[in-house]
Amino acid sequence: MSRSQRSPLLLAGLLAAAGVGHFAAPRQFDAIVPRALPGRARAWTYASGAVELALAAGVASPRTRRTAARAAAAFFVGVFPANVQMAVDWSERPAPLRAAALARLPLQVPLVLWARGVARNSEERS
């Protein structure tokens, strides 16, 4: 299997793992839901987990890959405020945890670019 064939499957796997994580250990995700969002944090945690699972299924399927990968790129941009919330909330935590929270911020850029690349490669094959 070539790299271009593996890439969407790896992205789908990442999204699926993250989605399952939202249901398996929701407390850690509840803590980073921005307080400015209306409603309960748990509802946002479950909703984002469901979206990640749906995106994973869409990216895994060649038929829906292009659209799902574009949506995944937008999703990665959309969850950035949660990473900012985490960095702010963890500013008083021990140095390794602060570093992990800060490292999540620039990580969104390669995720967005990866998803866009999967969408672009899917267009070329259509």
Side-chain angles (χ1 to χ4, degrees):
M1 182 179 288
S2 72
R3 182 175 180 220
S4 65
Q5 291 172 315
R6 277 192 316 265
S7 184
L9 300 178
L10 292 171
L11 178 60
L14 174 86
L15 286 162
V20 167
H22 281 72
F23 292 96
R27 237 169 118 197
Q28 68 183 9
F29 295 98
D30 292 348
I32 65 171
V33 172
R35 288 179 279 287
L37 290 175
R40 303 181 94 151
R42 182 62 52 93
W44 287 101
T45 295
Y46 287 156
S48 61
V51 168
E52 285 173 323
L53 291 170
L55 289 170
V59 170
S61 171
R63 215 167 123 196
T64 56
R65 182 169 294 150
R66 178 178 46 206
T67 301
R70 286 179 178 163
F75 179 81
F76 291 140
V77 171
V79 298
F80 185 73
N83 293 339
V84 171
Q85 185 70 56
M86 182 180 182
V88 168
D89 290 347
W90 287 25
S91 64
E92 302 297 321
R93 298 233 177 147
L97 293 176
R98 274 196 322 265
L102 290 171
R104 287 178 63 125
L105 298 176
L107 180 62
Q108 294 305 114
V109 173
L111 290 174
V112 170
L113 295 175
W114 184 11
R116 288 182 60 205
V118 167
R120 189 171 39 256
N121 287 340
S122 296
E123 289 172 8
E124 293 168 3
R125 287 189 163 65
S126 298

